[in-house]
Amino acid sequence: MSVQERKERERAGRERLIVATARELAEQQGWDAVTTRRLAERIEYSQPVLYSHFRGKREIIGAVALQGASEMAVALRAATAAADGPRARVAALAHGYLDFAERNPAVYDALFQLDGGLRYAREDTPGPLKDAFAALLECLGEVAGDAVPPGMFTEVFWASLHGIVTLTRAGRLLPEDTEQRVDLLVDRLAVL
Amino acid sequence: MSVQERKERERAGRERLIVATARELAEQQGWDAVTTRRLAERIEYSQPVLYSHFRGKREIIGAVALQGASEMAVALRAATAAADGPRARVAALAHGYLDFAERNPAVYDALFQLDGGLRYAREDTPGPLKDAFAALLECLGEVAGDAVPPGMFTEVFWASLHGIVTLTRAGRLLPEDTEQRVDLLVDRLAVL
DNA sequence: TCTATTGTCTAGCAGTGCTAGCATCGAGGT
DNA sequence: ACCTCGATGCTAGCACTGCTAGACAATAGA
């Protein structure tokens, strides 16, 4: 059976290559540039090979999103770990979130902007997505205040950050004032 | 010169027809369904006619966005006009915003999600866009608090609403709790 | 060594945004 | 009333998209 195992390993490796290449291409030139032809050419296989791993382009986006969600969870926990006290923790979380979005715009798009065929806010939501939300919740839950459920507070805070990210990147907001916007959000929304 | 005037009138009418039809089609079946072929067929002209009015699809989206911005400004001012006191005004504004987004998803996309080739947050930003922002500012400026510039407060509040709209519509947030989310936003962000 | 299966590729479909170039229509001058 | 000529809208087609059918080659097992 060793032959079959080797084949499966190779197959899994190629799948990782596809996801990594799609992500790289998207970060370099945007998701519009990630066409099945270009992607196939970069991994040095023909187009149909992509479809033996994924149902379509959407699923490839979804795979990048899942990978990104795991990384985001790690990044957020790392950002908050060093901070002392609730105020500093929330501020660090917010900055960590914006930093991640700025450094990985294509991944951020895959996660929250594009259709990757993933289910959110449900029981069958994939683990990495739940975990990324959990990373937010761990930090924000303690500043929700008594009258507000931690989960809902986290959603609102998250939505606010997301709004800043998307409007800034779409040219609707100027990037210069991001710092002050985050401060305002932290000072007013969080109960310290 | 009357002949030329008539021709210009007809041309302007056809341009309005294009924009209205694009908007209608987008609201009915989403922007993906707004192809130049389908749009041309609906207005009962051939594709190239579209390009004698607009440089491309992007500009058509931009035209819909401008129309939408004017309507949004009207809707927001109407929503706040009836409210008594700062708290009620801000709440009414927020609900008005979410209502507009929910009732005109395609227009909202054209305004804030898609690339319509418009310039935002600049001096040469088109009037309707400035006016829509002004409508927000008129209401939100009075609850920004002393320490925060009205413009920046408005941007943050707007971004928060925008985050809720986009995440909800993308299935990242459940629509049921929208009411409470808005309440939280109003209670915490606004200085009353 | 031969066979059967697995895997990959070539070629093609229907659709996209956009445009070159032709045909037709009608306004303005004689 | 007729002819000219420019404006205007059309047909046809380009290069691209996501995706797939079917031919072909490589390879594992007998």
Side-chain angles (χ1 to χ4, degrees), chain B residues 23 29 65 72 102 116:
Chain B
R23 177 176 176 169
Q29 310 181 36
M72 178 180 244
E102 192 181 336

Side-chain angles (χ1 to χ4, degrees), chain A residues 111 113 172 181 188-189, chain B residues 111 113 155 172 188-189:
Chain A
L111 262 169
Q113 208 93 35
R172 268 72 168 176
R181 292 192 189 108
R188 298 263 173 100
L189 279 187
Chain B
L111 262 169
Q113 207 93 31
E155 287 172 352
R172 268 73 167 176
R188 298 264 172 100
L189 279 186

